[in-house]
Amino acid sequence: MLKVGNTVKFTPLICAIMTTEEREIEFQAKIDNGQKIEPKEWMPENYRKQLIRMISQHAHSEIVGMLPEGNWITRAPSLRRKAVLLAKVQDEAGHGLYLYSAAETLGIDRQTLIDQLLTGKAKYSSIFNYPTLSWADIGAIGWLVDGAAIVNQTMLARGSYGPYSRAMVRICKEESFHNRQGYEIMYELANGTEAQKQMAQDALNRWWGPSIQMLGPSDAASTNSSETMKWNIKVESNDVVRQRFIDRTVPQAVAAGLTIPDPDLKYNEETEHWEIGEVDWDEFYRVIKGHGPCNKKRLSDRQRAEKEGEWVREAAIAYAEKQNKKMNAIAA
Ligand code: BYC
């Protein structure tokens, strides 16, 4: 192993005769040195598997996450709100595409990943298995769900795998706009008529718990953290990220005149953190095992979209083939 400046390097000749154990030591040294791992570099098989698992779950979440918000595009209360919501939902589609591309750099093809989602083998975020009952839910998603996602993803942007961490940088910029538009909706409702304030509070009451759960099980129950953190796929633990989300969100609720639905919520002067009551982990595990309020609907909606989009994909492939033939004829 050579250290050139701040970079750990291996000469091809040395690599060819290295044992797996030696390669793993070298790989860990790169990670500990803060270097990014790029697609064609050697990596332990479990590093690859963990990344495929996490990136594909993330991609599926972006795509399934379009459904609860898409439900309100036709009913947004003004043209401005409709345009903003349309742009946001389109952004989520874009995020899904960058993330599928990042997963593909690890040697798995997109259709395999999509099939895993459609057959129910792959997970996607628990948060998207809840219904959007009122317009305020669109505010709550932007404020709380995108808010939690930003905190999680700015951490992931510092992760070790180059294509995933770079995708996070752009995604976080867009999430930041999503978060502001959500908070703006909530703030306006909370400062509107009594009925509007009630609507905002009701949305906060329903989305707060699932948003806290969305950031993953407690550190003590997190089964993947030992690997995902050893390899800097996640650079901070679920509980650390959750605490940052809570500390950032509670003052925003206070500023809007809304009440966080947790009777045990208190500020700890010594640690300077907001402390929350018991998290309903039974609910979290029920939802990720497929028994949330909308799991069946989300999956069947995606299956239907895949089927209905088949002719579009076929037409796009036929068109690309025709163009290729034309180009080849010109070149010949
Ligand atoms: N939902 O060992 P752990 C968005 C699973 S989309 C479902 O701590 P890890 C947006 C976990 O997969 C943003 N499952 O795992 C889009 C594991 O199961 P498996 C979505 C969850 O990976 C549209 C088991 O529980 N963000 O913002 O070390 C509109 C044990 O967990 C969940 C991402 O996907 C969950 N919430 O840490 C609006 C972020 N949490 O795979 C907004 C990327 C955990 O062993 N992912 N599980 O069967 C991550 O950062 C990490 O995977 C987690 C979990 C922090 C979530």
Side-chain angles (χ1 to χ4, degrees):
M1 188 158 53
L2 296 172
K3 212 165 174 211
V4 183
N6 284 330
T7 311
V8 176
K9 281 198 168 157
F10 296 90
T11 67
L13 185 64
I14 296 174
C15 282
I17 52 169
M18 277 169 76
T19 64
T20 305
E21 207 178 310
E22 285 165 339
R23 287 181 163 208
E24 280 173 358
I25 291 169
E26 167 198 302
F27 180 82
Q28 192 63 49
K30 279 189 189 172
I31 299 275
D32 296 343
N33 199 36
Q35 276 172 246
K36 297 282 183 208
I37 306 299
E38 298 300 336
K40 295 217 165 87
E41 291 174 33
W42 185 88
M43 57 185 79
E45 210 34 47
N46 266 8
Y47 178 80
R48 183 186 304 279
K49 281 191 188 148
Q50 281 286 10
L51 276 170
I52 292 176
R53 176 190 69 82
M54 219 170 105
I55 301 174
S56 63
Q57 284 178 7
H58 194 163
H60 301 327
S61 304
E62 301 283 356
I63 300 299
V64 176
M66 294 163 73
L67 296 168
E69 290 183 291
N71 183 35
W72 277 88
I73 290 172
T74 53
R75 290 175 288 163
S78 70
L79 190 57
R80 174 174 170 261
R81 293 288 184 205
K82 191 194 285 278
V84 170
L85 184 58
L86 259 175
K88 177 183 191 301
V89 173
Q90 274 181 357
D91 283 351
E92 308 300 359
H95 298 174
L97 298 186
Y98 316 146
L99 289 165
Y100 283 128
S101 298
E104 283 181 306
T105 64
L106 292 154
I108 188 157
D109 68 280
R110 189 172 304 204
Q111 197 52 49
T112 305
L113 298 173
I114 291 171
D115 289 345
Q116 287 170 354
L117 170 69
L118 297 178
T119 54
K121 275 194 211 140
K123 288 192 172 80
Y124 58 85
S125 182
S126 51
I127 195 76
F128 301 116
N129 291 305
Y130 293 86
T132 40
L133 303 179
S134 77
W135 172 249
D137 289 30
I138 300 305
I141 291 180
W143 175 35
L144 301 175
V145 177
D146 286 279
I150 290 174
V151 178
N152 165 259
Q153 291 170 175
T154 42
M155 173 277 285
L156 295 176
R158 292 186 278 131
S160 59
Y161 188 55
Y164 190 32
S165 67
R166 287 189 289 273
M168 287 300 105
V169 174
R170 168 148 181 197
I171 290 178
C172 284
K173 286 184 183 155
E174 292 175 349
E175 300 289 27
S176 169
F177 146 73
H178 300 168
N179 180 238
R180 280 159 194 233
Q181 68 84 38
Y183 186 66
E184 190 201 18
I185 292 174
M186 289 299 262
Y187 191 94
E188 279 193 12
L189 289 173
N191 291 281
T193 65
E194 197 44 44
Q196 286 172 325
K197 182 165 185 175
Q198 276 307 315
M199 200 196 284
Q201 185 62 50
D202 172 60
L204 172 56
N205 294 350
R206 285 179 291 104
W207 287 90
W208 175 253
S211 300
I212 295 289
Q213 294 160 23
M214 170 190 169
L215 292 161
S218 69
D219 291 353
S222 168
T223 45
N224 296 292
S225 280
S226 56
E227 280 193 343
T228 48
M229 293 194 70
K230 169 177 85 172
W231 286 320
N232 276 357
I233 294 173
K234 288 195 309 201
V235 301
E236 284 175 327
S237 77
N238 300 356
D239 287 340
V240 167
V241 173
R242 190 173 0 262
Q243 187 61 54
R244 187 169 305 130
F245 168 66
I246 294 164
D247 288 339
R248 173 190 140 120
T249 310
V250 173
Q252 294 171 346
V254 174
L258 293 166
T259 308
I260 299 284
D262 180 349
D264 296 322
L265 180 77
K266 57 176 184 301
Y267 187 69
N268 184 327
E269 298 281 353
E270 235 167 76
T271 60
E272 300 184 344
H273 290 301
W274 286 94
E275 291 171 358
I276 58 168
E278 283 287 299
V279 177
D280 188 347
W281 292 118
D282 289 344
E283 174 184 348
F284 170 75
Y285 287 111
R286 245 190 345 265
V287 173
I288 68 170
K289 284 185 185 141
H291 308 298
C294 298
N295 295 60
K296 286 201 177 81
K297 168 118 180 77
R298 298 292 182 242
L299 210 53
S300 65
D301 281 353
R302 284 311 313 157
Q303 287 161 344
R304 186 167 45 82
E306 181 77 2
K307 201 157 180 284
E308 288 177 357
E310 208 169 334
W311 71 269
V312 180
R313 291 191 298 278
E314 278 172 9
I317 291 169
Y319 180 74
E321 280 170 358
K322 207 165 126 187
Q323 290 298 101
N324 271 347
K325 267 192 204 156
K326 248 193 218 167
M327 295 305 285
N328 289 341
I330 293 168

